[in-house]
Amino acid sequence: MIVKQVTVTVENKEGRLKEVMDILGKENINVEALSMADTVLRLIVADPEETMNVLKRHKYEVHLTDVLRIKVPSQPGVLGNMLVSIAAEKINLEYMYAFATGSGDEMIIRPSDVKKADELLSTYEAI
């Protein structure tokens, strides 16, 4: 399923991630998944537009990105098969991150062609 991801530029300095989490907590915004590398913080939240507006009010550089949120069965070989399918269609994966919800394993992927990858992966359990 295609979802909006909130991408935030955060200074790579101690306490900066905490600042963002404090802001979101005070605004009652729950973070469902996140990934942070260097100065790029990626968030999956229920209301990406509102989250973006909140962070912009606090002077953060923020934008929304289309990504795929998929449920991946926790079985050997499933992820490998999924990646083979994507590669066969000449779709590049820019990045991915995984998380567990308690009801299964989920993954966020940023393919070079979001719509094509979404159609291709529709055989995997949807969120």
Side-chain angles (χ1 to χ4, degrees), residues 42-59:
R42 297 178 172 111
L43 305 168
I44 301 298
V45 295
D47 190 341
E49 296 280 343
E50 176 61 19
T51 303
M52 180 179 69
N53 292 334
V54 164
L55 292 171
K56 281 187 174 188
R57 282 196 305 269
H58 288 272
K59 309 298 184 210

Side-chain angles (χ1 to χ4, degrees), residues 65-117:
T65 308
D66 284 340
V67 294
L68 292 183
R69 180 175 179 169
I70 58 174
K71 189 169 276 194
V72 181
S74 186
Q75 301 168 354
V78 172
L79 179 57
N81 291 338
M82 183 185 80
L83 296 174
V84 166
S85 299
I86 290 171
E89 293 296 321
K90 306 277 191 249
I91 299 171
N92 181 45
L93 286 184
E94 297 174 15
Y95 56 83
M96 61 193 292
Y97 52 102
F99 56 104
T101 63
S103 63
D105 300 331
E106 295 185 29
M107 184 169 288
I108 301 297
I109 64 172
R110 173 64 179 165
S112 55
D113 186 331
V114 176
K115 289 183 182 180
K116 187 174 181 182

Side-chain angles (χ1 to χ4, degrees), residues 3-6 21 24 30-36 41-46 69 97-101 106-108:
V3 298
K4 296 286 184 192
Q5 170 187 266
V6 179
M21 294 300 110
L24 298 180
N30 183 46
V31 176
E32 297 173 12
L34 69 81
S35 169
M36 185 162 184
L41 174 61
R42 297 178 172 111
L43 305 168
I44 301 298
V45 295
R69 180 175 179 169
Y97 52 102
F99 56 104
T101 63
E106 295 185 29
M107 184 169 288
I108 301 297

